[in-house]
Amino acid sequence: ANKASSTVVVDLLKNATVEPATGTSPNDGALNITSSMTINGNTYTITADTTTFTVPAAGERGDFHVFNITGGKVAINNLTINGSAKAAHGVNVWTANNAADKADVTLTNVTIENNTGYGVVTLGSDMTVENITTTGNAWGGINVDNSASSATGGTFTMNSGTLNEDNALYIQNTKAYDGQDATINGGTFMGTVSVEDNATGEGDVDGATLIVNNGTFSNSVADYGRGDLKEALSGAGAGS
């Protein structure tokens, strides 16, 4: 690792298997990041250890994330993250509601696979993804949300990549009054892109905004936009 200014730079030199430290609490990670850092994967793979990553019961989400990011400006590049069907989420980003600054995460040329939850979850934080691939994640590709204990609001931008799960991108807003902004500038979505319903089930949850500028969509195309955009995309079952 090289330290320049306030950002640590880590270069992966080989494939690595990671395990949560003894005493790690559920919802924490094997790799916990709290401050600015750049991780250059150099096309290697980080794999969740199949023994120490525990799952409470068959079919349930695992206890620990591979990466758990709670602060700083973090970039992860050229890396595969394999949850071994044991990790909860491959990358979990969470900003506490009393934090001075939001976690700001950029994923570039990253593949996230085989997690028992989502490939990526971002809660009350800012995230940009470029050439991301998610596959084999049980709950879906990417989840954007606020939680009861996370910071207010957050942004998500997808510029390119492929989300292979049936539930490709799911936008929620548990703290409906605070808002979430999601923008799709490109990418391929093999499953649904959707915004959580509001309490009446007659529209999107309050405060969540999805803007679709471009992309290729395989199904549920009418749900990718709202208003005129929804109507324009609803014909062929695919759009770009």
Side-chain angles (χ1 to χ4, degrees):
N2 300 310
K3 188 170 183 178
S5 301
S6 59
T7 301
V8 173
V9 178
V10 176
D11 286 291
L12 207 63
L13 301 180
K14 61 180 181 179
N15 296 324
T17 298
V18 296
E19 56 185 61
T22 301
T24 298
S25 300
N27 288 323
D28 281 344
L31 301 169
N32 294 289
I33 298 174
T34 60
S35 58
S36 295
M37 177 178 291
T38 296
I39 298 173
N40 296 315
N42 297 313
T43 73
Y44 291 112
T45 299
I46 289 178
T47 301
D49 178 72
T50 56
T51 300
T52 54
F53 273 81
T54 52
V55 178
E60 293 187 7
R61 198 202 77 172
D63 289 319
F64 311 113
H65 312 300
V66 180
F67 281 93
N68 190 50
I69 302 170
T70 57
K73 188 175 182 65
V74 178
I76 301 177
N77 309 310
N78 304 309
L79 180 66
T80 296
I81 301 166
N82 186 343
S84 303
K86 289 292 192 73
H89 309 314
V91 176
N92 186 70
V93 183
W94 176 79
T95 303
N97 59 19
N98 59 351
D101 297 299
K102 294 183 186 299
D104 184 349
V105 177
T106 301
L107 305 178
T108 304
N109 300 324
V110 174
T111 296
I112 305 169
E113 59 192 13
N114 303 326
N115 293 282
T116 60
Y118 283 97
V120 176
V121 170
T122 176
L123 294 162
S125 304
D126 295 331
M127 175 175 281
T128 301
V129 299
E130 185 100 30
N131 196 27
I132 190 172
T133 301
T134 65
T135 187
N137 299 295
W139 288 7
I142 298 176
N143 175 234
V144 180
D145 197 7
N146 283 312
S147 71
S149 58
S150 71
T152 59
T155 62
F156 172 80
T157 302
M158 179 160 173
N159 293 322
S160 59
T162 301
L163 308 184
N164 287 292
E165 291 81 1
D166 291 340
N167 177 26
L169 173 62
Y170 187 37
I171 300 161
Q172 296 177 276
N173 194 17
T174 301
K175 296 166 70 175
Y177 54 88
D178 293 318
Q180 286 282 22
D181 295 324
T183 302
I184 298 173
N185 293 322
T188 299
F189 303 84
M190 303 306 292
T192 58
V193 171
S194 60
V195 178
E196 181 182 22
D197 289 342
N198 62 22
T200 66
E202 297 177 349
D204 293 339
V205 65
D206 294 341
T209 301
L210 171 62
I211 299 173
V212 179
N213 293 316
N214 206 342
T216 300
F217 308 101
S218 294
N219 61 338
S220 301
V221 178
D223 292 333
Y224 296 162
R226 286 182 283 172
D228 293 341
L229 179 60
K230 179 181 286 188
E231 185 174 339
L233 292 177
S234 62
S240 61

